[in-house]
Amino acid sequence: AVAAIALFFSFYTMGTTVVYNGNVVDTVGSASQARRAAAKLESITTETLGTVYKIEDGAIHYATAFVRRSDVTDATTFEQDLANELGQVTYGYSLYVDDELIGSTEYAGALDELLEQIKQMYVSADTLTVDFVENVRIAEGYVPTESVMNLGEIAEILNSTKTGEVTYTVVKGDTWSGIANSHGMTTKELLAINPDFDINRLQIGDELTLSNAVPYLTVMVTERQNYVEDIQYDITYTDDATMYKGDYKVLSKGVYGTADVVADVTYVNGEETERTVISSVTLTEPVTEQRAQGTKARPSWYPTGSFRWPTSG
């Protein structure tokens, strides 16, 4: 008899089965444990939703009896299962970009994998690092059930844009058409979002708007690149009394040298922002260009000057 009783209690124990609105939620160790979890969940739901939440009176029933030990659920699992039955909050993983909630999922590791997939889109054989410029973080905990989304919806948001302004500061040598072309726009499109500017009077330091929308995620990629680069040749001048001052003539053309360069190049959303040369090995030396320059006084009647843009000469 003693052996039989010992065998029985090795497989069975006292437990409480919790039923919510007719649906069995879980079996836990005791009714008091279940009530504590329900009270805690009411508090969590109130804090998460920002409004007072109470489980409806009589909606939960507790039945205590002998149950299989293998059927008893731990407190954390019961709490999450009851939350799913209530349908107000869900235990999940939330993605934030610069503290803005993008979306949540119930699946552990899913958001990390999604972010890694986005990074892999920018990886090549030369890639050193891929990072997000924004503060991207994943928070674990209860969230409103309505914020839970499938991963496809979250990915769609991350690949879209939000309201914001992308600008460009004019530098020496810039032209209206050049700025437009380098940013994949027509001159009319650039003018449409910069109506206060005169395209014929660009000034160094002017700030142009390139877009009224910015991506949710800004991807910064650093690549290790190897390439051959030209080395600028020097120019030497020899005085020539048969030529007027300001005139010159090429006696022998200069030749660019070449160098084998290794550099780390940083791109932000596909545009180069920084280039750091790691090493440069000269392959061929440049050849100096020889020029003759005039020293003869120029008569007052002899024409001088040069053409203005858009002509040259």
Side-chain angles (χ1 to χ4, degrees):
V2 172
I5 292 172
L7 182 62
F8 175 83
F9 281 106
S10 68
F11 287 98
Y12 292 88
T13 185
M14 290 297 294
T16 299
T17 299
V18 182
V19 178
Y20 175 75
N21 282 343
N23 298 320
V24 175
V25 180
D26 277 320
T27 298
V28 294
S30 66
S32 60
Q33 178 186 342
R35 288 189 175 93
R36 285 195 301 270
K40 178 183 176 183
L41 195 55
E42 286 180 331
S43 176
I44 289 172
T45 304
T46 296
E47 182 179 353
T48 303
L49 300 182
T51 58
V52 177
Y53 176 80
K54 290 290 183 182
I55 298 174
E56 185 181 349
D57 291 339
I60 296 183
H61 297 278
Y62 307 94
T64 302
F66 281 109
V67 296
R68 289 181 178 273
R69 289 183 179 274
S70 59
D71 292 339
V72 177
T73 301
D74 63 87
T76 300
T77 301
F78 168 68
E79 179 186 297
Q80 294 176 14
D81 289 344
L82 180 58
N84 291 336
E85 286 291 336
L86 297 176
Q88 300 298 313
V89 295
T90 301
Y91 193 86
Y93 306 84
S94 301
L95 178 65
Y96 291 85
V97 176
D98 284 342
D99 293 327
E100 178 184 350
L101 175 62
I102 304 301
S104 307
T105 179
E106 300 176 63
Y107 306 105
L111 293 173
D112 296 279
E113 185 175 341
L114 174 60
L115 293 174
E116 188 60 31
Q117 288 176 357
I118 293 175
K119 287 183 178 181
Q120 286 301 315
M121 295 169 58
Y122 295 85
V123 172
S124 68
D126 301 322
T127 302
L128 294 177
T129 61
V130 180
D131 294 298
F132 299 119
V133 174
E134 295 81 6
N135 176 27
V136 179
R137 63 184 177 90
I138 298 171
E140 180 180 352
Y142 283 98
V143 295
T145 300
E146 63 182 16
S147 72
V148 175
M149 309 164 65
N150 64 55
L151 289 178
E153 292 176 304
I154 296 176
E156 186 176 352
I157 293 173
L158 293 178
N159 289 318
S160 64
T161 58
K162 60 183 177 179
T163 302
E165 192 173 65
V166 179
T167 61
Y168 174 79
T169 302
V170 176
V171 298
K172 183 178 180 180
D174 274 340
T175 64
W176 190 267
S177 59
I179 295 172
N181 291 336
S182 63
H183 291 88
M185 308 170 67
T186 65
T187 54
K188 288 184 178 180
E189 289 171 338
L190 184 59
L191 183 59
I193 55 178
N194 294 276
D196 296 331
F197 281 89
D198 182 348
I199 64 175
N200 295 314
R201 293 183 178 274
L202 277 180
Q203 300 292 325
I204 295 174
D206 283 349
E207 192 170 87
L208 302 179
T209 299
L210 299 179
S211 173
N212 291 318
V214 295
Y216 271 93
L217 284 180
T218 305
V219 183
M220 181 170 61
V221 180
T222 301
E223 294 182 352
R224 175 68 55 85
Q225 296 184 0
N226 188 291
Y227 52 92
V228 175
E229 184 178 59
D230 288 338
I231 302 175
Q232 180 64 48
Y233 54 80
D234 293 328
I235 301 174
T236 60
Y237 292 90
T238 303
D239 290 342
D240 188 330
T242 66
M243 298 169 57
Y244 291 122
K245 289 180 180 180
D247 291 345
Y248 73 88
K249 180 173 64 175
V250 176
L251 302 176
S252 64
K253 289 186 176 181
V255 178
Y256 288 101
T258 57
D260 188 1
V261 180
V262 177
D264 288 348
V265 186
T266 300
Y267 298 91
V268 175
N269 281 350
E271 292 193 14
E272 182 179 330
T273 59
E274 185 179 355
R275 182 176 293 262
T276 303
V277 175
I278 305 301
S279 66
S280 179
V281 178
T282 300
L283 300 176
T284 60
E285 295 288 348
V287 177
T288 301
E289 181 167 293
Q290 304 294 331
R291 294 183 182 182
Q293 62 180 1
T295 59
K296 184 179 178 181
R298 185 183 294 272
S300 59
W301 52 264
Y302 197 88
T304 61
S306 60
F307 292 118
R308 289 186 59 187
W309 181 91
T311 62
S312 61

